[in-house]
Every structure is written in C-alpha cells, then in structure tokens.
Amino acid sequence: MEVSKTEEEGISLLEQLLFFVPLGATSLLISVTHSLFNAAIARLPNPELYGSAFQVGKSLMQVVQNPVAMIKQMMAALIKDKESYYKVRNFTIILVTSVLLFFTILVFSGGAEWIFKNLMGVKEDVLKHALTVVKILIIFPAAVSLRNFMQGVAIKFRRTPLVTIATIARVTFVSIIILFISKITFIPPSMIPSFMFLGAVFVEAITVTIGVKLSIKDIPTSIEGLNTRKVNMNVREINYRLIIGFFAPLVITSFIRALAKPIIDSGLARTIDPKTAIFTYGVAWGLGVIVVSPLMMFHQVPLNFIEGNNKEQINSVKKFAIILGIFLSSILGLMAFSPIGTIILTNIIGVSDKIALLSVDVLKVMTILPMAMVIRQFYWGMLMKEHKTSYISIGKIINLVMLFIAIFIANLFNPANAALVGIIGKVSSEAFESLYLYIINRKVKE
C-alpha cells in the first residue's frame, strides 16, 4: 500500500513557520500593547500609584474572565461540521453570559473590595483606584469572548493573518491614544489605562470579526466544506457532554492560571516597597513578555499538525519548539545583559532610571522562561489532541502551588530589588509545570 507523504515524513520547518508566525506575531503585538499601557501610565501625574492600581484591578478581572481564553482551543479541537459549530457557539454564549453576571455581582456586592483588602493586601491609596479599574472593565469579558471566538474561526480555516491584522489595529489604537494622552483632559488620569485596555480589545474584536465575515462569509456552511482531520476523535458526534468534558478542565486551568498574577501581586504587596515592586514587575514583565509571548500560541502547532502518534511529525514539531525556545531566550538575554534593555525602558517606555535598573534585573532572571514555556505549550497541544485536558489542569495546580512556595521563600530573603520575588516565583512555577507535563506525556504513551 502506498504511504502518503504526511504519514511517512515530518512537517517542514517552513510549513510550521508559515502557520505559526501570524499567531506568534499576534501574541507579540498584544504584549507590545501591554508595554504601551506602561508607557501611557509613565506619562500620568502619579505613575506608580495608577500603575499599581491598574495591575491589581486587571489581575482580578483576568481571574474572572480567563475561562473565555480557552474558546480558541475548544474550536480547534471540537468543531468538525455545521452541527458541532452551532453547539460550540451556543455553549460559548452561555459561558460568556455567566461570566459577565458573576463579575458584575462580584464588583458591586463588595466582593472585589474584600479580595483586594484581605487576600491581596492592597493598601488604601491603591485600593480606591483598583476598584475603579474593575468597574470599567466589567464588560471586558464580552469583548474578549467575541475576539477569541472569531480568532478560533480564523485559525480553523488557517486564515491566521486575519488574527495578526486585528492585533495591528489594536496596537494602532493604543499608539494613537498615547500620542494624544496629554490632550485627554476630560478623563480622570486614574481611568485612562482601563479605558485604553477596554478600547483596545474592542477594536481587535471588531476588526477580526469583519475580516472573518468578509473572507469566510457563511461560517457554518464553509465548515462543512473543510477537509477536517478526524484522527483521534474518539466519538462520532460532538455533543454538549463532550464539550463540557473537554472544556471544564480548561476552565479550571484558566482560573488557576489567572490566579498567578494576584498571587504575585500579593507577594509584592508584602515587600518593603510594594508600590515600586508591583510597578517594576509590571514594567519588566510587560517588556519581557513581548519576547516570550509568541510561545503562548505554540500549542496550536502540535494541535493542528500532528496526526495520531506519527513520530516523524512529533519530532518535527519538537525540533521547531527547541529552535524557537533557544532563539527567544537569546533575544531576551541580549536585551537583559546589554544596554538595549535600559535604553528601551528609559527612552521608549519612559520610566525613571531607578525603575529601569530594577526592571533589567527582573529581565535577567526571565531569560530562563522561554524554554520552560515552549515545553509546556508543546505538551498542552499534545494532550488537547487526545482530549486529556484533565492533566493540563493538574499541571496548572502544580504551577500555582510552586508559585506560592517560591514567592514565600523569596520573600524570606527580602531582596533589595523586591520585584525579583515575582519573577523568581513565575520562572519556578513554569519549570515545575513543564516537568510534570513531560513526565505525564511519557506515561500516557506507555
């Protein structure tokens, strides 16, 4: 019997690159906007106060809305025809409505204030503005859900450039706001970062929606025409029970992952100079994540390119992962161990020399992160293909436990640069999660 090319050969690096680059560029551009937010905050009258409040408020919002971040993965793994499309769409609508309702109740019932005070240890000056942040961001889950759903459609049809174009629109919007930030006197300075964040996601969501509608037109009918790969689909029909079984562990994973930022902020809030520590970590992470952010979409490569247990394809994707991890670590190292990082922080982002110096130390530790992240993303994709998402949740629990332990231990040493507490915790937690996923993937194959 003749063996097809895809069965006997691996996937070329070029083919993977052409698929991944638009997705990686999208994550990179999103990260650029986070640094642009920091650049905008640095131009406000009291940047450390407003920056800390924005970081704290955003971290709570992300805990609540993070389940919708898994909509893209759900579409890639579960949609195979018109019927499954409608079921996934209806499930998404119910999910988003539930998140919006819960977030509204949390904010206006006093729950958010209680969390800020008692769990995160936020002080009164930051607390007041953090509450304003979450009130503005209440409708954020609706915008990000629309964006993620339409991104999922674009990825399903391998129209990944549409995702990148929408993100470029997001960056353009934020850049325009920064250029005219001194003219925006009708908005209180404490509210500007939140409105920028909300507006940026709405612009991105609307742009990708228009792009999908214009290029794909009738989505359900077009899905019927796809030559969808059905390898490893262990069921004949996509039903709501399957959707919930696939999605529930990912919801838990998203929730646990979103808890990382509040835990880091809580650890930084208990240092000797909390405002400086929180703002410094936010600035350094915002810059460093520009480099590592493309890896956040890497799970789509094994999810879309590996069929079954094809060893050649698995080895091809592994090779691509290693090359990508080393490349991004090198870029991050160049930025951290040369004057480049300081120049970007002081001349482009516009932070003070003190914050720039502290942020560079954080970036140095962060150079370890890309290799840990690419390993985690690779095994995420492999486990999603097998619909074994429960292992992903367990891995994220391990991540969270190690984050808490690492931050606790780092705080005991009371480093002069308190922002190092946050990045030590982050790198440690990612490394342990990646190790667990590597071990569990070997056991699943046995």
Side-chain angles (χ1 to χ4, degrees):
M1 182 177 65
E2 185 180 355
V3 181
S4 68
K5 182 178 180 181
T6 55
E7 289 175 336
E8 68 179 2
E9 298 181 4
I11 309 298
S12 71
L13 292 176
L14 179 60
E15 189 177 355
Q16 294 179 71
L17 197 64
L18 291 174
F19 174 82
F20 176 72
V21 164
L23 297 178
T26 297
S27 294
L28 186 148
L29 289 169
I30 289 174
S31 301
V32 166
T33 61
H34 290 304
S35 279
L36 290 175
F37 294 143
N38 290 328
I41 292 169
R43 289 161 172 76
L44 296 176
N46 195 340
E48 292 184 10
L49 173 60
Y50 298 145
S52 298
F54 177 64
Q55 294 293 338
V56 168
K58 185 176 71 170
S59 67
L60 177 61
M61 181 275 297
Q62 288 176 330
V63 170
V64 177
Q65 69 90 37
N66 229 272
V68 303
M70 292 298 178
I71 291 172
K72 290 192 292 289
Q73 290 83 345
M74 180 172 62
M75 297 187 71
L78 298 182
I79 291 180
K80 61 177 183 175
D81 52 28
K82 184 184 294 186
E83 184 180 359
S84 58
Y85 168 80
Y86 282 123
K87 288 179 179 177
V88 170
R89 188 193 66 176
N90 293 341
F91 178 81
T92 301
I93 293 170
I94 294 170
L95 173 70
V96 176
T97 303
S98 301
V99 169
L100 286 171
L101 181 61
F102 175 78
F103 194 23
T104 302
I105 293 172
L106 182 69
V107 171
F108 288 102
S109 67
E113 183 175 4
W114 185 88
I115 291 172
F116 288 147
K117 280 184 178 179
N118 298 289
L119 297 184
M120 299 180 67
V122 178
K123 305 302 180 184
E124 289 296 330
D125 53 348
V126 177
L127 175 64
K128 174 185 174 183
H129 297 296
L131 288 171
T132 301
V133 169
V134 291
K135 288 176 182 177
I136 294 172
L137 296 179
I138 276 181
I139 60 173
F140 187 91
V144 81
S145 297
L146 175 62
R147 181 199 68 183
N148 290 346
F149 186 86
M150 288 303 176
Q151 282 182 346
V153 173
I155 293 170
K156 190 70 180 177
F157 285 87
R158 296 197 178 178
R159 306 280 179 88
T160 50
L162 291 176
V163 180
T164 308
I165 291 169
T167 313
I168 291 172
R170 168 190 174 127
V171 174
T172 303
F173 169 82
V174 175
S175 300
I176 291 172
I177 297 296
I178 292 175
L179 287 175
F180 295 97
I181 196 166
S182 61
K183 310 290 185 183
I184 308 175
T185 56
F186 56 92
I187 300 176
S190 61
M191 296 183 180
I192 289 176
S194 304
F195 279 122
M196 284 181 64
F197 191 36
L198 184 62
V201 175
F202 265 113
V203 167
E204 187 180 11
I206 293 169
T207 304
V208 73
T209 299
I210 293 172
V212 166
K213 291 293 186 181
L214 290 177
S215 63
I216 300 173
K217 297 181 174 62
D218 188 341
I219 298 171
T221 301
S222 298
I223 285 175
E224 290 285 351
L226 280 177
N227 182 23
T228 308
R229 297 171 179 174
K230 299 181 182 179
V231 178
N232 286 334
M233 291 298 292
N234 299 320
V235 292
R236 294 181 178 178
E237 179 186 1
I238 301 298
N239 52 45
Y240 289 114
R241 182 177 180 179
L242 174 66
I243 293 173
I244 293 171
F246 176 87
F247 193 70
L250 295 183
V251 170
I252 296 170
T253 299
S254 295
F255 177 73
I256 295 170
R257 182 176 64 180
L259 286 174
K261 188 60 169 60
I263 289 175
I264 291 172
D265 286 342
S266 298
L268 296 175
R270 288 168 170 80
T271 58
I272 53 175
D273 188 2
K275 282 192 291 187
T276 299
I278 293 174
F279 184 54
T280 298
Y281 179 82
V283 169
W285 179 259
L287 177 58
V289 81
I290 293 175
V291 179
V292 302
S293 60
L295 297 175
M296 296 175 187
M297 297 293 283
F298 189 81
H299 61 270
Q300 293 287 351
V301 178
L303 191 58
N304 281 274
F305 282 104
I306 297 176
E307 298 183 26
N309 291 315
N310 188 307
K311 291 183 179 180
E312 291 297 328
Q313 292 176 350
I314 292 172
N315 289 335
S316 295
V317 176
K318 279 185 178 179
K319 181 180 179 181
F320 182 47
I322 292 170
I323 293 172
L324 191 60
I326 293 173
F327 176 70
L328 295 179
S329 282
S330 300
I331 293 177
L332 198 55
L334 179 64
M335 194 159 55
F337 292 96
S338 76
I340 294 175
T342 304
I343 291 171
I344 294 172
L345 288 163
T346 54
N347 296 340
I348 298 178
I349 298 178
V351 299
S352 65
D353 291 339
K354 173 188 173 183
I355 297 296
L357 182 64
L358 297 174
S359 297
V360 166
D361 286 342
V362 174
L363 291 173
K364 289 176 180 177
V365 179
M366 199 173 173
T367 55
I368 308 169
L369 197 58
M371 286 308 301
M373 284 185 63
V374 78
I375 293 170
R376 171 173 64 80
Q377 286 284 322
F378 174 80
Y379 289 117
W380 268 25
M382 295 297 291
L383 291 169
M384 285 178 189
K385 285 192 71 65
E386 299 292 334
H387 295 177
K388 297 184 183 296
T389 51
S390 59
Y391 291 117
I392 296 176
S393 297
I394 296 171
K396 194 53 66 178
I397 291 171
I398 292 172
N399 182 303
L400 202 66
V401 171
M402 293 311 303
L403 176 65
F404 181 83
I405 293 172
I407 286 178
F408 177 78
I409 293 174
N411 257 330
L412 292 179
F413 288 92
N414 196 22
N417 183 354
L420 290 174
V421 170
I423 196 61
I424 289 171
K426 184 66 177 175
V427 170
S428 301
S429 62
E430 288 284 337
F432 275 94
E433 182 185 0
S434 298
L435 178 61
Y436 164 78
L437 293 174
Y438 167 75
I439 294 170
I440 205 66
N441 187 73
R442 289 179 64 89
K443 289 185 177 179
V444 166
K445 287 184 176 181
E446 291 176 357

